């Protein structure tokens, strides 16, 4: 399916999404959805480029443990498949690790930086390398984590840095404690990206391709950054966020729960 996207051989491509509908369609044809073959089709299109998948653990909070080898991604079947693929390497950020194949994989694997959304993070590398991002059958609000890099880079008023201490277990089983800054929502605020998605599509920064009736949305991340930065500076980030008192109460209760709950030894 990757051959339908007009990728260049040296492109950097970040892929995220939900392949359930693709798998169901294959089953209806009495065929098996080949996850390895699906990922392999992107590798074949990018012989001089790089292919990345999110390998985030969305349940991780300060005080928890991140095991480099054992902590399973919570970002969907594609991420888990890349995690199991020996041709990919995993980056070391406990909050926002990536599975990387191809160009600069070794350098990305060992990147070290203070803020998970910082300009020297993998998100910053994606921006500098003019990466493309592919969303398979998902909306931006569910999967566009790059927007938080934009928010931190330009500085929005509804987020602030929080310092987290995470117990890290490395490839050799050695345990250390690492500190990482996380540009976190203030209580009551939430990201709302439907209007942003419409605007990026209207600008041609986000294009939609249908594969077996399933939307494959391809985004130019550098173009998206420039558009979002203008919205933050000139429009007070109106296309990015909202506020509600219900969300405020939910956030306060969630933080109380996280403070009181026992810390997990591993999050896998």
């Amino acid at each position: 399916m990757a051959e339908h996207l007009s990728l260049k051989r040296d492109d950097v491509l970040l892929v995220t999404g939900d392949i359930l509908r693709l798998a169901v369609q294959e089953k209806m044809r009495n065929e098996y959805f080949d996850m390895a073959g699906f990922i392999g089709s992107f590798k074949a299109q990018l012989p001089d480029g790089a292919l990345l998948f999110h390998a985030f653990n969305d349940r991780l909070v300060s005080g928890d443990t991140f095991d480099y080898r054992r902590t399973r991604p919570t970002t969907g079947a594609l991420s888990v498949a890349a995690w199991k693929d020996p041709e990919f390497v995993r980056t070391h950020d406990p909050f926002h690790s990536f599975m990387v194949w191809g160009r600069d994989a070794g350098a990305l694997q060992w990147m070290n930086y203070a803020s998970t959304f910082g300009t020297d993070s993998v998100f910053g590398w994606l921006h500098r390398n003019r990466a493309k991002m592919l969303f398979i059958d998902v909306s931006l609000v569910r999967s566009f984590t790059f927007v938080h890099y934009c928010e931190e880079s330009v500085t929005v008023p509804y987020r602030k840095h929080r310092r987290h201490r995470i117990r890290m277990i490395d490839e050799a089983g050695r345990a250390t404690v690492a500190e990482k800054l996380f540009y976190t929502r203030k209580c009551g605020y939430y990201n709302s990206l439907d209007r942003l998605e419409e605007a990026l599509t209207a600008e041609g920064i986000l294009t939609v391709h249908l594969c077996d009736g399933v939307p494959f949305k391809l985004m130019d991340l550098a173009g998206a950054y420039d558009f979002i930065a203008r919205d933050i500076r000139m429009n007070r980030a109106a296309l990015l966020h909202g506020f509600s008192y219900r969300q405020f109460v939910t956030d306060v209760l969630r933080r109380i729960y996280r403070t009181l709950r026992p810390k997990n030894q591993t999050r896998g």
Side-chain angles (χ1 to χ4, degrees):
M1 293 184 181
E3 60 272 15
H4 300 300
L5 299 175
S6 300
L7 298 171
K8 298 177 182 177
R9 59 185 294 119
D10 61 348
D11 274 342
V12 174
L13 181 67
L14 170 61
V15 180
T16 187
D18 184 347
I19 50 85
L20 178 60
R21 279 209 289 168
L22 292 173
V24 169
Q25 289 175 359
E26 290 291 288
K27 186 175 180 62
M28 291 175 64
R29 291 192 286 260
N30 293 317
E31 297 177 1
Y32 172 74
F33 183 78
D34 180 4
M35 188 81 74
F38 183 76
I39 293 175
S41 71
F42 289 97
K43 294 177 181 176
Q45 294 295 310
L46 303 168
D48 302 320
L51 177 62
L52 297 90
F53 292 88
H54 296 150
F56 308 163
N57 190 292
D58 295 329
R59 306 186 190 103
L60 194 70
V61 298
S62 187
D64 280 347
T65 295
F66 175 81
D67 189 316
Y68 180 81
R69 293 196 180 277
R70 294 177 56 205
T71 299
R72 186 183 183 94
T74 60
T75 40
L78 284 171
S79 297
V80 173
W83 178 56
K84 293 179 178 179
D85 185 335
E87 293 187 354
F88 282 83
V89 299
R90 190 178 198 175
T91 65
H92 282 75
D93 188 321
F95 291 107
H96 298 104
S97 64
F98 290 79
M99 302 307 305
V100 188
W101 172 90
R103 190 177 82 226
D104 290 346
L108 288 169
Q109 181 182 13
W110 297 105
M111 285 179 73
N112 187 26
Y113 41 87
S115 175
T116 191
F117 296 126
T119 55
D120 54 350
S121 69
V122 178
F123 294 103
W125 181 88
L126 290 167
H127 181 200
R128 291 189 297 276
N129 283 273
R130 305 194 66 84
K132 298 174 180 177
M133 186 169 182
L134 178 64
F135 305 82
I136 301 173
D137 205 19
V138 289
S139 64
L140 265 62
V141 74
R142 289 185 54 199
S143 49
F144 190 35
T145 313
F146 182 85
V147 73
H148 306 319
Y149 159 78
C150 304
E151 290 170 324
E152 175 169 335
S153 178
V154 186
T155 309
V156 294
Y158 53 88
R159 287 182 176 266
K160 64 180 179 180
H161 280 115
R162 295 186 65 190
R163 188 175 300 277
H164 296 264
R165 291 172 59 85
I166 302 295
R167 182 172 178 263
M168 302 280 293
I169 300 177
D170 67 14
E171 298 89 328
R174 295 183 296 259
T176 57
V177 175
E179 291 192 348
K180 187 72 70 176
L181 293 174
F182 196 118
Y183 203 48
T184 307
R185 286 184 301 107
K186 296 178 182 179
C187 288
Y189 292 93
Y190 58 89
N191 278 108
S192 177
L193 303 181
D194 289 345
R195 288 194 299 148
L196 175 66
E197 184 167 345
E198 293 173 0
L200 292 175
T201 303
E203 291 288 322
I205 297 169
L206 181 69
T207 57
V208 181
H209 311 259
L210 291 178
C211 297
D212 278 348
V214 175
F216 280 47
K217 305 172 186 177
L218 191 63
M219 180 187 291
D220 166 19
L221 286 182
Y225 177 91
D226 292 341
F227 186 92
I228 292 167
R230 286 196 300 272
D231 184 63
I232 293 171
R233 294 183 176 121
M234 302 175 65
N235 199 30
R236 299 184 179 181
L239 296 179
L240 306 183
H241 80 292
F243 176 88
S244 78
Y245 287 103
R246 174 176 291 185
Q247 184 68 50
F248 180 86
V249 172
T250 299
D251 290 340
V252 170
L253 292 176
R254 183 181 291 119
R255 290 182 183 182
I256 291 172
Y257 167 75
R258 287 178 173 176
T259 301
L260 297 178
R261 74 170 177 83
K263 298 302 179 184
N264 292 312
Q265 292 304 302
T266 59
R267 303 295 296 181

